[in-house]
Amino acid sequence: MNTHPFYAILFSVYLFKVNIFMNISPPPITSKDVAKLAGVSQSTVSRVFISGSSVAEKTKKKVFEAAKTLNYRPNAFARSLTTSESKLIGLVFPDADYPIHMKTLQLISSELQKIGYSAVLIPWMVNEQEQHSIPNIFQYRVDGVIAASATLNKSLYEECEEFNIPIVQFARVVEGTKGSHVISDNYAAGQIAANHFYHCGVKSAAYLTGNVPTFTNDERNAGFSSEFEDLTGQKTCVIEANYDYLDSLEMIRTFLSENKNTDGIFCATDNLAMALMDIARLEFGLRIPEDIQVIGFDNVPQTEWLNYQLTTFKQDFKRLARESVKIVIDHITKKETSLVKLMIPATLIERKTTQYKR
Amino acid sequence: MNTHPFYAILFSVYLFKVNIFMNISPPPITSKDVAKLAGVSQSTVSRVFISGSSVAEKTKKKVFEAAKTLNYRPNAFARSLTTSESKLIGLVFPDADYPIHMKTLQLISSELQKIGYSAVLIPWMVNEQEQHSIPNIFQYRVDGVIAASATLNKSLYEECEEFNIPIVQFARVVEGTKGSHVISDNYAAGQIAANHFYHCGVKSAAYLTGNVPTFTNDERNAGFSSEFEDLTGQKTCVIEANYDYLDSLEMIRTFLSENKNTDGIFCATDNLAMALMDIARLEFGLRIPEDIQVIGFDNVPQTEWLNYQLTTFKQDFKRLARESVKIVIDHITKKETSLVKLMIPATLIERKTTQYKR
DNA sequence: CTGAAAGCGCTTACAG
DNA sequence: CTGAAAGCGCTTACAG
């Protein structure tokens, strides 16, 4: 992997500027302007834009019309200042470019949109130096936080507690934090994987995982190993590699060369599963599923690729998103004052890296 | 791909609730509280939190101390209401779970963080039905918008124009919109690809692209075809497939079976390149790079995988993020009133799908 | 350098 | 159902 100086001559930065006519912004339209045009008081205009207020139909119509002609939008800052609700939910996401998260972000933000909330990004742990700085967005007093980062920063947590901001953890549980969470049923997924391996005739199974221990991961392993032992009487072993594809290779290599009789590996992530597949096939000449069977977790797009066709678990992210939004809103509105711990089943997607034998 | 009813018995939803003590939120600390404790006026407190105001060092210290003991945070809503600046930048992102975008989001939001701004998500085109609804977040009057969606909704654009909100397009240019943008130098990248193929002895080259025509893509193709023709006298051909891996397969298959002598393919995305590699190897028994050479675009993590080792282009996202933030801020502060069109070079990363022959 | 006061654009009791 | 008025927590001329 190198860049050839040869091409350097072609490199340069082009910058075009085009003069455009920049309007001076007209003074923004306020409820007063609308009131004047509609011939009502400012408070009436305000009421029209609050659902549930008692306003005569006729008045409502007049106001909406005036608002439309003036292109009026209520100023959320003024509203938030008086109501002390921001209608903003902070989102904390991992910086790993894990493809699953972008879709999740979209799901959550559109769920929020539906109920009148908006999503703001909380950049966390982006820079080691400014680790202790409070993200600017906290000045806006988000009403709640949804966190999908595996390494939830402790200070974020304390910040939320300090200001009594409800926080719900999405698809993961961070050790040492108490708070609501909605996750997939990892223990059951582990059981299902073991069960599937059993029906595929796997005799010697292993769980391939990353380097950072997480609650969800431990659960999966626990379900897997206990179920596999129940069914076969065999203990499973654990391979601790690395969540990064490239960094996991060496550990997988070592394991495969030392454990020739392992014929079924359940992997903590699809990326690990695909690393395993690549090494097994390219370096050990193993056939999948004939020589070794593989189950992944996540159902990333690559699992469907011709070269992989990986049997894996699909998490119900749509449901996870919907539930996490519901929970955080219930906390905000005090409809729910208890911690909520919700588990959603994950589904096994059978492709071609496993094969029934009995 | 199917789910076995067999496992249905294991499926169920678990829900735990734990009663927790929910504090009634104490009245929030305001600048008045700080003023009282520090023995100064409220306006002085306000000044202390505005950089550049002239406040005596001694006063400043007193105020900071008082603020710290009370755990005071200025209320951004009140500030925004008076200054009519939100310090919020809206981010429009594609819903495709393209791994590159998550990292980009992080880069942009941390750049914004540095200069006192925050990123809010603008969910766009999430639901076909509510296409015309204005995202809630617009009630907060974002100061600017950074859009990385290839299919920038027209109404978003009009919304921004209506309210005079500067918008900069990130890494792509949407047809029919005028606005600032910062993109990679796609034409030059096309030239570099052609040049590289030439030095790798490619005789008959093609450009493999998706179904949606985009400006950046056309540029890349133009640079590629003109440079390749200049160097070899040969015209290149274009294969129009699909940006989705699975949907692209059939077109690639057809092309490969009809064009046996093509020995170099430049692909609009890495995903297309890897789809091509999978089909070429698994279905046509072609060796890469011996029989056919491949160049991708994006440098997604999978390009480094053992099975691919794809020669590809890496866009300088860090720089793109920094520049797009700079441009949008310059527009907001009126430091820049012209449209800015900035191009950043992309770098060829040579791996194992191409090989020098001369 | 500092304080008193007006004002940003809303919501919300309070009357009527 | 509607209006007048107070108040949310800041910033910012204006004096001093």
Side-chain angles (χ1 to χ4, degrees), chain B residues 24-38:
Chain B
I24 302 301
S25 320
I29 304 298
T30 71
S31 56
K32 240 181 201 162
D33 302 317
V34 178
K36 195 181 290 174
L37 183 63

Side-chain angles (χ1 to χ4, degrees), chain A residues 4 7 14 18 71 73 79 86 110 117 119 121 126 136 139-141 159 162 185 196 307 338-339, chain B residues 7 14 18 71 73 79 86 110 117 119 121 126 136 139-141 159 162 185 196 307 338-339 350:
Chain A
H4 264 249
Y7 296 121
Y14 305 89
V18 182
N71 214 335
R73 302 242 190 297
R79 170 165 50 64
S86 67
S110 74
Y117 280 76
L121 252 28
V126 183
N136 308 318
Q139 300 185 351
Y140 287 95
R141 279 115 215 258
E159 180 75 10
E162 167 83 40
D185 190 342
H196 186 60
N307 192 49
S338 312
L339 287 186
Chain B
Y7 296 121
Y14 305 88
V18 182
N71 214 335
R73 303 243 192 297
R79 171 165 49 65
S86 67
S110 73
Y117 281 76
L121 251 30
V126 183
N136 308 317
Q139 301 184 351
Y140 287 96
R141 280 116 214 258
E159 180 76 9
E162 167 85 40
D185 191 341
H196 186 59
N307 192 52
S338 313
L339 288 186
E350 294 179 30

Side-chain angles (χ1 to χ4, degrees), chain A residues 46-66:
Chain A
S46 176
R47 280 192 197 94
V48 169
F49 284 91
I50 297 167
S51 66
S53 300
S54 58
V55 186
E57 270 311 313
K58 217 176 146 184
T59 318
K60 217 178 237 176
K61 213 178 139 193
K62 270 196 301 186
V63 171
F64 275 136
E65 242 160 52

Side-chain angles (χ1 to χ4, degrees), chain A residues 1-4 6-7 10-20 22-23 25 71 73-74 76-81 86-88 93-97 99 101-103 105-106 109-110 113 116-121 123 126 133-137 139-141 159 162-164 185 192 195-196 199 245-246 249 271 274 278-279 282-283 301-302 304-308 319 336-343 345-351 356, chain B residues 1-4 6-7 10-20 22-23 25 71 73-81 86-88 93-97 99 101-103 105-106 109-110 113 116-121 123 126 133-137 139-141 159 162-164 185 192 195-196 199 245-246 271 274 278-279 282-283 301-302 304-308 319 336-343 345-351 356:
Chain A
M1 163 170 164
N2 48 30
T3 309
H4 264 249
F6 171 82
Y7 296 121
L10 291 173
F11 286 2
S12 60
V13 175
Y14 305 89
L15 177 58
F16 299 105
K17 290 187 187 183
V18 182
N19 268 310
I20 52 170
M22 270 292 205
N23 317 320
S25 321
N71 214 335
R73 302 242 190 297
F77 296 117
R79 170 165 50 64
S80 292
L81 188 57
S86 67
K87 299 278 182 183
L88 254 27
F93 269 69
D95 49 358
D97 47 356
H101 297 311
M102 197 65 212
K103 205 192 292 172
L105 224 55
Q106 292 276 353
S109 87
S110 74
Q113 166 80 11
Y117 280 76
S118 292
V120 298
L121 252 28
V126 183
S133 74
I134 302 297
N136 308 318
I137 196 64
Q139 300 185 351
Y140 287 95
R141 279 115 215 258
E159 180 75 10
E162 167 83 40
F163 289 95
N164 225 330
D185 190 342
I192 292 169
N195 220 304
H196 186 60
H199 284 88
Y245 176 102
L246 293 176
L249 297 177
N271 277 1
M274 292 184 283
D278 284 349
I279 291 194
L282 299 173
E283 298 183 9
Q302 288 78 32
E304 290 194 82
W305 288 9
L306 294 180
N307 192 49
Y308 296 107
R319 175 106 187 263
E336 179 63 80
T337 54
S338 312
L339 287 186
V340 179
K341 292 163 189 300
L342 191 61
M343 278 203 274
T347 313
L348 183 68
I349 310 280
E350 294 179 30
R351 296 205 184 90
Y356 284 101
Chain B
M1 162 169 165
N2 48 31
T3 311
H4 263 249
F6 172 81
Y7 296 121
L10 291 173
F11 286 4
S12 61
V13 176
Y14 305 88
L15 176 57
F16 299 105
K17 291 186 187 181
V18 182
N19 269 308
I20 53 170
M22 271 291 205
N23 316 322
S25 320
N71 214 335
R73 303 243 192 297
N75 182 323
F77 296 117
R79 171 165 49 65
S80 292
L81 189 57
S86 67
K87 299 277 182 184
L88 255 26
F93 269 68
D95 50 358
D97 47 357
H101 298 311
M102 197 67 212
K103 207 192 290 171
L105 223 55
Q106 293 273 353
S109 88
S110 73
Q113 167 80 11
Y117 281 76
S118 292
V120 299
L121 251 30
V126 183
S133 76
I134 302 298
N136 308 317
I137 196 63
Q139 301 184 351
Y140 287 96
R141 280 116 214 258
E159 180 76 9
E162 167 85 40
F163 290 95
N164 225 329
D185 191 341
I192 292 169
N195 220 306
H196 186 59
H199 284 89
Y245 176 100
L246 293 178
N271 277 2
M274 292 185 281
D278 284 350
I279 291 193
L282 300 174
E283 298 183 7
Q302 289 77 33
E304 290 194 83
W305 289 9
L306 295 180
N307 192 52
Y308 296 107
R319 175 107 186 263
E336 179 63 79
T337 54
S338 313
L339 288 186
V340 179
K341 292 163 190 297
L342 190 60
M343 279 204 275
T347 313
L348 182 69
I349 311 280
E350 294 179 30
R351 296 206 183 88
Y356 284 101

Side-chain angles (χ1 to χ4, degrees), chain A residues 31-285:
Chain A
S31 56
K32 241 182 200 159
D33 301 317
V34 178
K36 194 181 291 175
L37 182 62
V40 298
S41 74
Q42 181 272 329
S43 26
T44 297
V45 174
S46 176
R47 280 192 197 94
V48 169
F49 284 91
I50 297 167
S51 66
S53 300
S54 58
V55 186
E57 270 311 313
K58 217 176 146 184
T59 318
K60 217 178 237 176
K61 213 178 139 193
K62 270 196 301 186
V63 171
F64 275 136
E65 242 160 52
K68 187 148 192 193
T69 44
L70 294 177
N71 214 335
Y72 166 72
R73 302 242 190 297
N75 182 323
F77 296 117
R79 170 165 50 64
S80 292
L81 188 57
T82 49
T83 62
S84 56
E85 280 183 342
S86 67
K87 299 278 182 183
L88 254 27
I89 302 291
L91 262 34
V92 185
F93 269 69
D95 49 358
D97 47 356
Y98 209 54
I100 228 76
H101 297 311
M102 197 65 212
K103 205 192 292 172
T104 305
L105 224 55
Q106 292 276 353
L107 284 170
I108 293 177
S109 87
S110 74
E111 282 297 322
L112 288 172
Q113 166 80 11
K114 280 184 204 161
I115 52 171
Y117 280 76
S118 292
V120 298
L121 252 28
I122 301 185
W124 208 255
M125 295 192 30
V126 183
N127 189 327
E128 289 303 315
Q129 293 175 313
E130 47 183 341
Q131 192 167 349
H132 293 291
S133 74
I134 302 297
N136 308 318
I137 196 64
F138 268 103
Q139 300 185 351
Y140 287 95
R141 279 115 215 258
V142 295
D143 290 335
V145 169
I146 296 176
S149 179
T151 54
L152 221 198
N153 196 298
K154 195 95 185 292
S155 41
L156 201 208
Y157 220 82
E158 286 161 2
E159 180 75 10
C160 287
E161 214 149 278
E162 167 83 40
F163 289 95
N164 225 330
I165 299 170
I167 179 166
V168 4
Q169 293 178 44
F170 181 92
R172 36 203 16 150
V173 181
V174 179
E175 302 288 338
T177 58
K178 49 182 165 27
S180 293
H181 63 235
V182 38
I183 55 178
S184 291
D185 190 342
N186 287 277
Y187 191 90
Q191 289 179 305
I192 292 169
N195 220 304
H196 186 60
F197 269 166
Y198 171 70
H199 284 88
C200 292
V202 168
K203 300 268 187 303
S204 172
Y207 183 64
L208 172 59
T209 178
N211 46 333
V212 188
T214 62
F215 171 80
T216 48
N217 200 27
D218 291 348
E219 284 289 292
R220 217 140 62 209
N221 185 24
F224 179 66
S225 63
S226 81
E227 182 79 0
F228 195 79
E229 196 173 345
D230 282 359
L231 291 168
T232 67
Q234 299 293 315
K235 285 209 181 299
T236 59
C237 66
V238 174
I239 318 164
E240 221 179 80
N242 195 296
Y243 285 119
D244 180 72
Y245 176 102
L246 293 176
D247 294 339
S248 72
L249 297 177
E250 198 49 41
M251 299 297 291
I252 296 173
R253 217 169 257 140
T254 307
F255 178 85
L256 285 182
S257 57
E258 290 173 358
N259 297 65
K260 299 288 187 195
N261 63 335
T262 299
D263 58 351
I265 302 186
F266 177 33
C267 307
T269 69
D270 287 336
N271 277 1
L272 274 170
M274 292 184 283
L276 168 66
M277 288 177 74
D278 284 349
I279 291 194
R281 293 201 283 216
L282 299 173
E283 298 183 9
F284 288 81

Side-chain angles (χ1 to χ4, degrees), chain B residues 16-155:
Chain B
F16 299 105
K17 291 186 187 181
V18 182
N19 269 308
I20 53 170
F21 180 67
M22 271 291 205
N23 316 322
I24 302 301
S25 320
I29 304 298
T30 71
S31 56
K32 240 181 201 162
D33 302 317
V34 178
K36 195 181 290 174
L37 183 63
V40 297
S41 75
Q42 181 271 331
S43 26
T44 297
V45 175
S46 175
R47 280 193 198 93
V48 169
F49 286 90
I50 297 169
S51 67
S53 299
S54 58
V55 186
E57 269 311 313
K58 217 174 146 185
T59 318
K60 218 179 235 176
K61 212 178 139 193
K62 269 196 303 186
V63 170
F64 275 137
E65 243 160 53
K68 187 149 192 192
T69 45
L70 295 177
N71 214 335
Y72 166 72
R73 303 243 192 297
N75 182 323
F77 296 117
R79 171 165 49 65
S80 292
L81 189 57
T82 50
T83 61
S84 55
E85 281 183 342
S86 67
K87 299 277 182 184
L88 255 26
I89 302 290
L91 261 34
V92 186
F93 269 68
D95 50 358
D97 47 357
Y98 211 53
I100 229 75
H101 298 311
M102 197 67 212
K103 207 192 290 171
T104 305
L105 223 55
Q106 293 273 353
L107 285 171
I108 292 178
S109 88
S110 73
E111 283 297 323
L112 288 172
Q113 167 80 11
K114 281 184 202 160
I115 52 170
Y117 281 76
S118 292
V120 299
L121 251 30
I122 302 186
W124 208 255
M125 294 194 30
V126 183
N127 190 328
E128 290 302 315
Q129 292 175 314
E130 47 184 341
Q131 193 167 348
H132 293 292
S133 76
I134 302 298
N136 308 317
I137 196 63
F138 269 104
Q139 301 184 351
Y140 287 96
R141 280 116 214 258
V142 295
D143 291 336
V145 168
I146 296 176
S149 180
T151 52
L152 222 199
N153 196 298
K154 194 94 183 294
S155 40

